[in-house]
Amino acid sequence: MLSVTNLSITYKNTQVLNDFNLSLKHGDILALLGDSGSGKSSALRFIAGLDTVTSGSIELDGKALSSNGSHLIPAESRGVGMVFQDYALFPHMNIEKNISFGLVAQPKVKQRARVTELLALIGLEGIEKKYPHQLSGGEQQRVALARALAPAPNLLLLDEPFSSLDKNHRDQLVLQVRSILKKAQVTSILVTHDETEADSFADVVGIINNKQLTFK
Amino acid sequence: MLKEKCIKSKIWISFIALLVAMPIFVVAFSWAMPEHELWAHFSENILSGLISSTLVLLLGVGVGVMLLGTVLAYLVVMVEFPGGKWLEWALFLPFAIPAYVLAFVYLGVFDYSGYAQVWMREALDLPGFDVRAGSWAIILTFVLVFYPYVYMMTRASFKRQKLNMIEAGRLLGASPLRVFFQVSLPLARPAVAAGVLVTLMETLADFGVVSLFNYDTFTTAIYSAWGDFRSIEVAAQLASLLVLVAFLLIYFEKKSRGQAKYYSSDVTNKKPYQATGLTAWLISLFVFGVFMLSFAMPMLQLVIWGWSSVADEWSAKYFDLIASTSILTISAALITVMLATFLALPSQCKKASIWLKSVIRLATLGYALPGSVMAVGLLYGINQISIINIHFGGESINHIIYGSITLLLFAYVSRFMAIAYSSIEASAQQIKPVFTQSARLLGASRLRLIWQVYLPMMTPGILAGGLLVAVDVMKELPATYLLRPFGWDTLAIQTYELSAEGLYERAAVPALIMVVFGALLMAVFQYLDKKSSRTS
Amino acid sequence: MDMKKIISSTIVFSVLTVSSITAVQATYSSPEVQAVSDETVTVYSSRKEHLIKPLFEAFTKDTGIKVEYLTGKGGALIERLKLEGDNTQADMFMTVDAGNLWYAGSQDLFQSVQTETIKSNIPVHLRDPKGLWTGLSVRARTIVYSTDRVKEQDLSTYANLATDQWKDRLCLRTSKKVYSKSLVASMIYNQGEDKTGDIISGWVNNLSATPNAKDSHVMNSILAGQCDVGIVNTYYFGRLIAKTPDSPLKLFWANQDTTGVHVNVSGAGVTKHASNKEGAVQLLEWLSSAKAQVIYGSLNKEYPANQKVASDDVVSEWGSFKQDEMNLSQAGLLQARAVRLMQIKGYR
């Protein structure tokens, strides 16, 4: 269970988000809808532990991650996964190494099994030895998702992951990813500015408008 | 259509590259005059020892600069810590001090008769030791002298690294150390490799530091063949082996990169890590310590020396020295950078042609040649051109070229092409093919493509390359010493002449001016670098 | 995009700098060009600028002939002279060490100059037999020792430093320096290659530190207690004593009962393709004159080559000694063998 309380974000002396409160149950999928500059990405990066903000606290499964706008637990130990808009796959590693990057603690055999399992989940079997630049955009995005899911995060954040794909691919992939996440039972937050995408992806849709969060 | 265009660019690139590589050819042709007797002596008595001591030195220096240069670059780019902002620039400064000046300061402090050891023996009652025995001290000296190469090139590359690569790594649970070794460092690999390569070539060609430490390297044999046995041929033959080593190093580095691609994004100034508490101060202490040891401490020594002798040493002559040094530095840097940019521009023709890739490679090998071998190679080359010209009924060009500034500039370009090229090429490599393709599809001519797409994206590399060449030219000694026209004494020559006679106090005066001059160049670079990162 | 601005401002900046600097240079150099006469002698020199400039200035004052000079490393300048051939600007080549002078002579870079003035000023053993070059100052290379830790009666010859009593007490300058090479060449001349080889092995065995880059470092090492004896050129000792007169160091004249102290010269010759031969000869004669020889002695604490001139006061204090009278061209001839021997014996 995730709860975000009293989150406020100010940049360059302008407040963009005021007293943002949110709570999600295990396995929920939320979409945050808002224009660019509405602070939705900043909120996401705060939850991830990457940026600090003016005020706000985060609690995940009973553990306090952040309070008062700064972080109690650093990004590397939160167990929060993230999928980036431009995928951020490591270009110097092949797909297998990319996906198993978050699995170092496990023995090699287990790592390999998990990679195979995830590639099956995203429907891209057999591409272990390929490099990111040899894949299409949609394939790279699915690999990025697999990589984020590999360490079995308690929370998955998706920062406009579909925006650089073409329309046909996007609609298909949105549904695919949703079903993958549902299958894996991961609590997720998607940030997007596309209402249709939000509707078809999420269980709950929140809209950020005029510094406030309202639910659809 | 592509073929026709390529003929023209092939001719141009080949012409420039081969001209720059002239000294290499002269050195290679020395094999036409074998000297068995001297080779027998060398290979029987000294060569095996020299090769192993050279390898030890290269290995130590290579690993050392790689670690120090990349760690420092990573800290200043990726981590926020107290003092990080000014240290980021301060760490460039040691580069302005000539290697042999640093070496004589270090020896003055750490040799058996130096302050540090005297204090150690007298105050701490510890036994003294021969700091020049073995190879650790000279390796450390070289590392402290040359780490700015790696630091500078890697820093530029880290700056262009996508922040979200690091964030992705962090969110997958990787510690800062693991992110450094498995994400940032491999992504910066072309830059790290370029910096290490430049360092190794500079180490191979060094004569000043090794002679102060009396450490024998391959270069020792070159000078022995020339100076002791009066055989410029064997010297050239030995030098050609250095070039071969440099060539192999480059080849294997390129080859081992394999399939991986290295593109990167725009400059970001956001730092992913914020160090706090003790960690922050430890990082500050470490970075500041390196700065102290490699710059502040030697500078303090130079200032003390210079202060005591400035009245004896300063004269109107210094205006001449400063003028000559400035003119040579600026013109050599401009010419080298222009040619290097031309050679490094991405082009379809280049991609398809092994010939072009090879001649360009050849043009960058001069860096491995000791300066004076390079200089004599040039003199011989010009002489050969004259002989050929006379053969065809023309006149000797020797009297026009010898003792003219053209020859000296030629030598600088040949010698320092590698630095400019590797820096500029590293930034050219980061241009994704999509840019070219999309610009082409928008109907941009090649000229517009170069001017509006390539050059802006290569600016950081061009600036870094220009600065490195300028500072290197300013410090250059052997080629300048041999080739300069009358009245073109430089600050480096003045420093050398005084220090060679053991007059360190007086030598500190020109050395200090040189450092100030280098720091000024660095300030210009900083200004341009900031500007280009703001606008790109 | 600001690239154009950056490039153009760089170009403007550099053009401005270059032109303003050239202007400064022009204003600074023009008064010097206004010499008393237009006649100029051009010298290539491996003696450092601060040691030759006062001499040339005095010469110009005396004769009105201007001297232009270019300093450089001996071997490199010889190479430049060779390649310049008859295009060379140099009228005179000046260098240190008999080996370098001999080599320049053997490469046909000098022409013979044997005027009465030179013959009467400089003794025959300090000149080339064919008159190609003339020695202008004499430097002795001898033993220096710590007065705290060494008794004078324990010292005798260069060879003696190879015996066991000096184990881990000896400091030497690197074998790569011409002075070491000429010393060993003279030992080969006097005692043969085998004997010299044994002595070098003994030296190497007795070293207490990696050979030093400079004579001044050898003396610093003795002062710091790293070693007790060493071999240096006398003028380096002179410079050290001038700075710190109380140093517990003394010179010992080596080989006084045998061949005498090894001496070397700095000298000059008129180049084969000199365009101003008369001027160059005049300069050479002037350099051998009493007036110039006094300057030589006081500038660098060397011994005058002109025997009619008394040594500098400081230098005289060290006492007189017997010189090795080996003809100095032998040092040149034997130098390559000396280097080979040192390399074989591991003397770095």
Side-chain angles (χ1 to χ4, degrees):
Chain A
M1 154 132 181
L2 168 80
S3 70
V4 180
T5 44
N6 189 28
L7 173 60
S8 294
I9 298 177
T10 306
Y11 36 69
K12 289 176 187 159
N13 297 325
T14 321
Q15 194 173 49
V16 292
L17 210 55
N18 186 24
D19 197 23
F20 171 110
N21 290 285
L22 178 75
S23 123
L24 285 182
K25 289 197 306 290
H26 182 72
D28 275 358
I29 299 182
L30 166 80
L32 274 181
L33 203 53
D35 299 331
S36 53
S38 64
K40 57 187 193 304
S41 279
S42 303
L44 204 68
R45 292 175 59 81
F46 174 62
I47 297 170
L50 295 173
D51 289 346
T52 53
V53 294
T54 321
S55 75
S57 306
I58 303 167
E59 206 173 282
L60 180 63
D61 296 336
K63 244 190 330 188
L65 298 184
S66 309
S67 90
N68 226 345
S70 51
H71 303 302
L72 304 170
I73 294 175
E76 18 311 62
S77 359
R78 296 187 158 212
V80 172
M82 185 150 169
V83 180
F84 294 84
Q85 186 175 357
D86 60 356
Y87 332 130
L89 291 174
F90 304 130
H92 59 292
M93 295 181 192
N94 62 26
I95 301 308
E96 180 178 5
K97 292 224 173 89
N98 259 290
I99 295 178
S100 60
F101 188 88
L103 302 172
V104 269
Q106 300 179 16
K108 278 267 176 290
V109 189
K110 266 193 161 172
Q111 285 185 25
R112 213 163 297 143
R114 178 81 175 139
V115 171
T116 316
E117 181 192 336
L118 282 161
L119 284 178
L121 187 70
I122 60 169
L124 287 174
E125 293 96 335
I127 60 162
E128 284 91 338
K129 299 298 170 208
K130 288 200 172 171
Y131 279 85
H133 70 268
Q134 296 167 313
L135 303 182
S136 74
E139 288 169 333
Q140 290 191 40
Q141 192 55 287
R142 278 186 280 166
V143 171
L145 180 69
R147 183 178 70 176
L149 289 175
N154 301 322
L155 175 67
L156 184 70
L157 308 172
L158 302 103
D159 189 3
E160 308 216 20
F162 308 115
S163 61
S164 50
L165 300 174
D166 63 77
K167 183 95 178 78
N168 288 339
H169 271 102
R170 191 176 354 164
D171 295 346
Q172 217 181 348
L173 194 63
V174 167
L175 292 175
Q176 254 180 6
V177 171
R178 178 183 160 82
S179 81
I180 291 169
L181 292 179
K182 276 291 165 194
K183 227 186 275 174
Q185 275 295 299
V186 193
T187 318
S188 314
I189 302 176
L190 168 77
V191 156
T192 178
H193 56 262
D194 182 326
E195 196 168 343
T196 353
E197 187 183 303
D199 287 340
S200 52
F201 186 79
D203 305 329
V204 195
V205 177
I207 302 165
I208 299 178
N209 201 357
N210 212 0
K211 302 180 198 172
Q212 303 293 325
L213 174 71
T214 51
F215 290 95
K216 200 172 177 179
Chain B
M1 169 77 188
L2 186 69
K3 247 191 172 168
E4 237 169 72
K5 270 191 184 159
C6 279
I7 289 175
K8 225 167 111 189
S9 76
K10 259 187 187 168
I11 291 174
W12 271 108
I13 294 178
S14 309
F15 173 74
I16 289 175
L18 293 177
L19 195 66
V20 171
M22 191 173 83
I24 307 268
F25 289 115
V26 177
V27 162
F29 279 128
S30 64
W31 289 100
M33 289 157 281
E35 285 202 29
H36 302 297
E37 210 235 347
L38 187 52
W39 268 101
H41 162 65
F42 275 172
S43 53
E44 203 175 302
N45 295 305
I46 57 172
L47 226 42
S48 65
L50 291 185
I51 289 171
S52 65
S53 64
T54 307
L55 287 179
V56 167
L57 188 67
L58 288 184
L59 194 71
V61 174
V63 171
V65 291
M66 187 161 75
L67 283 176
L68 191 62
T70 54
V71 166
L72 289 171
Y74 188 74
L75 288 175
V76 299
V77 174
M78 304 290 189
V79 184
E80 225 172 272
F81 61 91
K85 243 192 180 138
W86 73 268
L87 281 169
E88 177 172 1
W89 291 103
L91 287 174
F92 285 101
L93 291 174
F95 192 54
I97 310 179
Y100 65 89
V101 172
L102 265 182
F104 76 60
V105 171
Y106 284 151
L107 279 182
V109 177
F110 297 111
D111 208 357
Y112 193 92
S113 53
Y115 315 131
Q117 277 215 44
V118 169
W119 176 78
M120 238 178 59
R121 288 195 300 271
E122 286 173 359
L124 306 180
D125 211 22
L126 289 166
F129 58 94
D130 182 9
V131 84
R132 291 171 301 116
S135 47
W136 63 271
I138 191 170
I139 287 176
L140 267 177
T141 305
F142 271 125
V143 169
L144 286 172
V145 172
F146 290 143
Y147 82 79
Y149 282 121
V150 179
Y151 170 74
M152 203 161 178
M153 295 187 186
T154 315
R155 177 187 154 275
S157 164
F158 281 159
K159 282 234 152 182
R160 302 209 142 231
Q161 226 161 60
K162 280 185 180 170
L163 206 56
N164 59 19
M165 292 284 167
I166 292 158
E167 291 172 348
R170 294 184 69 187
L171 290 170
L172 290 165
S175 67
L177 221 61
R178 190 164 165 237
V179 169
F180 171 66
F181 278 113
Q182 294 194 346
V183 180
S184 292
L185 199 55
L187 285 176
R189 184 172 154 180
V192 177
V196 172
L197 217 58
V198 164
T199 304
L200 292 184
M201 282 158 96
E202 183 95 68
T203 308
L204 272 178
D206 172 83
F207 191 65
V209 177
V210 293
S211 59
L212 275 168
F213 276 83
N214 200 15
Y215 186 91
D216 289 355
T217 66
F218 210 69
T219 317
T220 317
I222 295 178
Y223 278 87
S224 177
W226 183 9
D228 300 332
F229 300 104
R230 313 285 182 187
S231 169
I232 194 111
E233 290 78 18
V234 174
Q237 286 157 10
L238 287 164
S240 70
L241 296 181
L242 283 190
V243 174
L244 189 68
V245 170
F247 179 79
L248 291 176
L249 282 173
I250 294 169
Y251 177 78
F252 285 118
E253 201 283 321
K254 290 258 178 220
K255 185 130 196 164
S256 69
R257 272 189 215 172
Q259 275 195 305
K261 296 273 178 188
Y262 299 87
Y263 300 126
S264 63
S265 69
D266 293 339
V267 174
T268 44
N269 286 315
K270 193 171 172 305
K271 298 185 195 304
Y273 293 109
Q274 275 80 38
T276 50
L278 186 65
T279 328
W281 289 106
L282 284 177
I283 291 174
S284 280
L285 194 70
F286 168 68
V287 179
F288 187 68
V290 173
F291 171 71
M292 281 300 289
L293 209 58
S294 60
F295 186 77
M297 191 269 282
M299 272 302 279
L300 184 69
Q301 176 70 82
L302 287 179
V303 168
I304 292 171
W305 279 340
W307 187 255
S308 68
S309 65
V310 69
D312 293 337
E313 182 54 26
W314 178 265
S315 67
K317 175 191 164 151
Y318 272 87
F319 292 107
D320 276 348
L321 293 178
I322 292 169
S324 321
T325 310
S326 321
I327 295 169
L328 290 175
T329 299
I330 292 168
S331 22
L334 281 178
I335 298 171
T336 313
V337 159
M338 277 195 293
L339 295 181
T341 307
F342 177 73
L343 294 180
L345 279 174
S347 95
Q348 290 302 314
C349 309
K350 228 164 79 184
K351 225 177 228 167
S353 164
I354 295 175
W355 160 255
L356 285 186
K357 283 184 200 156
S358 321
V359 289
I360 291 174
R361 210 21 89 206
L362 213 55
T364 64
L365 291 176
Y367 202 46
L369 284 180
S372 40
V373 175
M374 149 82 59
V376 173
L378 262 182
L379 290 176
Y380 269 87
I382 299 289
N383 199 32
Q384 284 309 311
I385 293 177
S386 285
I387 290 170
I388 293 167
N389 206 24
I390 291 167
H391 180 81
F392 288 106
E395 274 181 35
S396 164
I397 56 165
N398 290 7
H399 62 285
I400 312 168
I401 306 277
Y402 284 172
S404 81
I405 190 169
T406 319
L407 191 66
L408 190 51
L409 289 176
F410 193 161
Y412 290 145
V413 173
S414 278
R415 181 145 159 68
F416 297 124
M417 179 54 76
I419 317 183
Y421 181 79
S422 57
S423 165
I424 296 170
E425 199 228 2
S427 64
Q429 270 195 0
Q430 297 180 332
I431 299 173
K432 295 183 194 174
V434 277
F435 290 127
T436 313
Q437 288 150 12
S438 60
R440 275 275 148 114
L441 289 173
L442 288 168
S445 65
R446 166 120 180 115
L447 217 65
R448 238 185 98 201
L449 186 67
I450 290 172
W451 193 243
Q452 297 190 334
V453 180
Y454 293 159
L455 287 182
M457 300 190 81
M458 289 159 72
T459 308
I462 292 174
L463 291 175
L467 175 75
L468 286 171
V469 173
V471 179
D472 258 328
V473 168
M474 176 190 78
K475 296 186 294 186
E476 208 285 337
L477 182 69
T480 317
Y481 212 28
L482 180 56
L483 296 179
R484 74 197 192 283
F486 282 98
W488 284 85
D489 279 4
T490 63
L491 291 164
I493 288 174
Q494 183 75 0
T495 309
Y496 168 78
E497 290 220 322
L498 294 168
S499 66
E501 291 292 310
L503 302 171
Y504 296 130
E505 285 87 352
R506 290 173 64 178
V509 175
L512 277 172
I513 300 176
M514 234 190 305
V515 177
V516 170
F517 202 75
L520 270 176
L521 283 171
M522 234 83 84
V524 173
F525 168 74
Q526 173 185 10
Y527 172 75
L528 294 176
D529 184 77
K530 273 198 178 148
K531 207 164 160 180
S532 80
S533 64
R534 225 179 290 132
T535 49
S536 67
Chain C
M1 189 36 247
D2 237 353
M3 180 67 202
K4 285 176 206 166
K5 234 190 220 164
I6 293 178
I7 290 191
S8 64
S9 54
T10 314
I11 293 174
V12 169
F13 170 77
S14 42
V15 168
L16 279 179
T17 324
V18 170
S19 49
S20 60
I21 277 164
T22 321
V24 169
Q25 205 179 25
T27 49
Y28 267 94
S29 48
S30 50
E32 285 174 45
V33 178
Q34 308 285 324
V36 191
S37 97
D38 286 343
E39 194 183 348
T40 304
V41 177
T42 304
V43 180
Y44 283 4
S45 166
S46 74
R47 257 180 104 84
K48 305 294 181 299
E49 187 192 8
H50 65 276
L51 294 177
I52 52 174
K53 198 177 171 201
L55 282 165
F56 292 157
E57 279 170 354
F59 174 69
T60 306
K61 223 169 144 194
D62 279 7
T63 61
I65 300 173
K66 204 184 155 230
V67 181
E68 227 181 11
Y69 53 87
L70 180 81
T71 56
K73 290 196 179 180
L77 282 178
I78 290 174
E79 217 53 50
R80 179 164 169 170
L81 273 170
K82 272 204 290 201
L83 283 165
E84 285 176 342
D86 52 9
N87 287 319
T88 192
Q89 293 172 278
D91 302 309
M92 176 185 279
F93 175 54
M94 185 178 244
T95 188
V96 292
D97 181 61
N100 279 334
L101 288 165
W102 169 83
Y103 178 66
S106 76
Q107 296 301 300
D108 204 17
L109 298 177
F110 289 140
Q111 54 180 305
S112 175
V113 174
Q114 287 174 308
T115 68
E116 287 312 313
T117 318
I118 289 175
K119 277 185 188 163
S120 75
N121 280 345
I122 307 292
V124 66
H125 72 281
L126 299 178
R127 286 188 272 125
D128 180 65
K130 284 173 274 175
L132 294 177
W133 49 266
T134 307
L136 292 169
S137 68
V138 174
R139 50 272 302 278
R141 189 161 186 78
T142 193
I143 297 171
V144 64
Y145 66 98
S146 156
T147 49
D148 294 338
R149 297 184 299 276
V150 175
K151 285 193 227 87
E152 194 180 340
Q153 59 264 34
D154 289 341
L155 295 164
S156 57
T157 60
Y158 302 112
N160 170 261
L161 296 180
T163 57
D164 280 347
Q165 63 167 314
W166 301 108
K167 176 90 185 134
D168 294 331
R169 297 175 70 189
L170 177 67
C171 275
L172 288 175
R173 187 180 193 168
T174 172
S175 65
K176 290 158 199 115
K177 190 69 198 177
V178 277
Y179 305 127
S180 311
K181 297 184 217 163
S182 284
L183 172 63
V184 172
S186 78
M187 288 162 64
I188 293 176
Y189 177 80
N190 287 324
Q191 306 172 49
E193 203 156 329
D194 290 346
K195 183 92 192 298
T196 307
D198 292 342
I199 296 170
I200 294 171
S201 295
W203 282 353
V204 171
N205 195 37
N206 286 346
L207 282 175
S208 74
T210 313
N212 293 84
K214 296 167 193 299
D215 280 359
S216 56
H217 295 176
V218 169
M219 291 183 291
N220 285 340
S221 298
I222 297 176
L223 287 172
Q226 194 173 21
C227 44
D228 300 335
V229 285
I231 301 175
V232 296
N233 278 6
T234 49
Y235 55 93
Y236 289 110
F237 177 78
R239 285 183 203 168
L240 181 108
I241 290 299
K243 230 191 290 172
T244 48
D246 301 330
S247 301
L249 275 186
K250 246 181 123 176
L251 288 177
F252 176 85
W253 300 119
N255 290 28
Q256 291 305 289
D257 300 331
T258 56
T259 50
V261 171
H262 168 66
V263 293
N264 206 331
V265 289
S266 81
V270 176
T271 59
K272 188 174 183 191
H273 301 291
S275 48
N276 183 4
K277 187 189 168 182
E278 292 78 50
V281 172
Q282 204 178 337
L283 176 58
L284 193 61
E285 287 180 340
W286 185 85
L287 288 171
S288 73
S289 72
K291 183 173 180 184
Q293 290 285 307
V294 170
I295 303 179
Y296 254 115
S298 65
L299 265 181
N300 198 28
K301 309 290 172 223
E302 287 178 76
Y303 292 93
N306 185 332
Q307 311 283 303
K308 285 168 277 182
V309 176
S311 299
D312 179 77
D313 290 347
V314 179
V315 176
S316 310
E317 268 178 38
W318 305 335
S320 58
F321 58 90
K322 175 178 152 192
Q323 286 186 20
D324 186 348
E325 302 248 310
M326 170 190 79
N327 190 304
L328 276 177
S329 56
Q330 293 298 328
L333 269 167
L334 291 170
Q335 236 178 43
R337 270 169 73 190
V339 172
R340 189 178 298 236
L341 194 60
M342 291 188 284
Q343 285 175 344
I344 291 171
K345 299 293 177 189
Y347 174 12
R348 281 170 38 201

